[in-house]
Amino acid sequence: MKFLKNFFFLALAATALTFVGCNKDDEEPHMHGDNEITIRILEPGADEVIADASDVHIHIEIEASDENHEVEIVLHPEGDVNDKIIDFGKHEHSKVITFEQDVDLSSYPSGTGFHLEVEACKDHDCAEKEFADVEFSIQ
């Protein structure tokens, strides 16, 4: 009987160590150093002249090979970084972040140029970043 009792405790201890010692994070470490970020500014196009300033469509996709972290999107008139028409920031860990927004730029004079900037962090500490931008104007 004593042998059976010792065997039971030994088996229980081995099972507990198996569950405690085996951690999925230990088996599959995150490789954030290899995380690649692709920023696609789909609309507006670079150097595009937009005919209808009252309905400007902004469409951006940020795709990560591992996961996204922090994303910042800023739209401002050329030469005036303080006039932020879009000032968007998001912390999200999905592989793809899609940003779409319609903006009315009709209050700006014809011929005004705009700068659309996108910055995405490759790692959680934002030590490495990807950057993309386009310039466009309104008719």
Side-chain angles (χ1 to χ4, degrees):
M1 183 73 162
K2 186 173 182 177
F3 172 76
L4 188 60
K5 185 177 179 182
N6 287 341
F7 178 77
F8 174 76
F9 284 118
L10 182 62
L12 184 63
T15 303
L17 286 175
T18 300
F19 286 117
V20 172
C22 183
N23 187 339
K24 185 176 180 179
D25 289 341
D26 294 338
E27 293 173 14
E28 299 176 23
H30 292 285
M31 304 300 280
H32 292 300
D34 297 334
N35 192 28
E36 295 297 321
I37 303 287
T38 303
I39 300 171
R40 289 183 293 277
I41 301 175
L42 304 171
E43 292 181 78
D47 300 320
E48 183 177 348
V49 178
I50 297 176
D52 185 2
S54 67
D55 187 26
V56 179
H57 187 68
I58 308 296
H59 185 182
I60 301 164
E61 289 180 351
I62 302 110
E63 185 173 357
S65 60
D66 185 18
E67 66 181 2
N68 277 293
H69 297 281
E70 188 73 28
V71 172
E72 293 183 17
I73 300 170
V74 176
L75 173 65
H76 61 84
E78 201 57 46
D80 189 0
V81 296
N82 294 320
D83 183 6
K84 294 180 180 176
I85 301 156
I86 295 175
D87 188 9
F88 174 83
K90 187 171 196 172
H91 186 94
E92 183 176 314
H93 292 276
S94 62
K95 286 186 83 154
V96 178
I97 295 174
T98 301
F99 176 86
E100 288 190 80
Q101 183 174 330
D102 294 322
V103 292
D104 182 355
L105 303 176
S106 62
S107 63
Y108 294 91
S110 178
T112 300
F114 296 90
H115 199 112
L116 178 61
E117 304 168 352
V118 183
E119 188 174 79
C121 296
K122 292 178 77 171
D123 56 24
H124 208 278
D125 297 329
C126 213
E128 291 185 64
K129 300 177 184 179
E130 283 295 323
F131 180 81
D133 66 331
V134 295
E135 294 178 6
F136 66 94
S137 61
I138 56 173
Q139 201 171 45

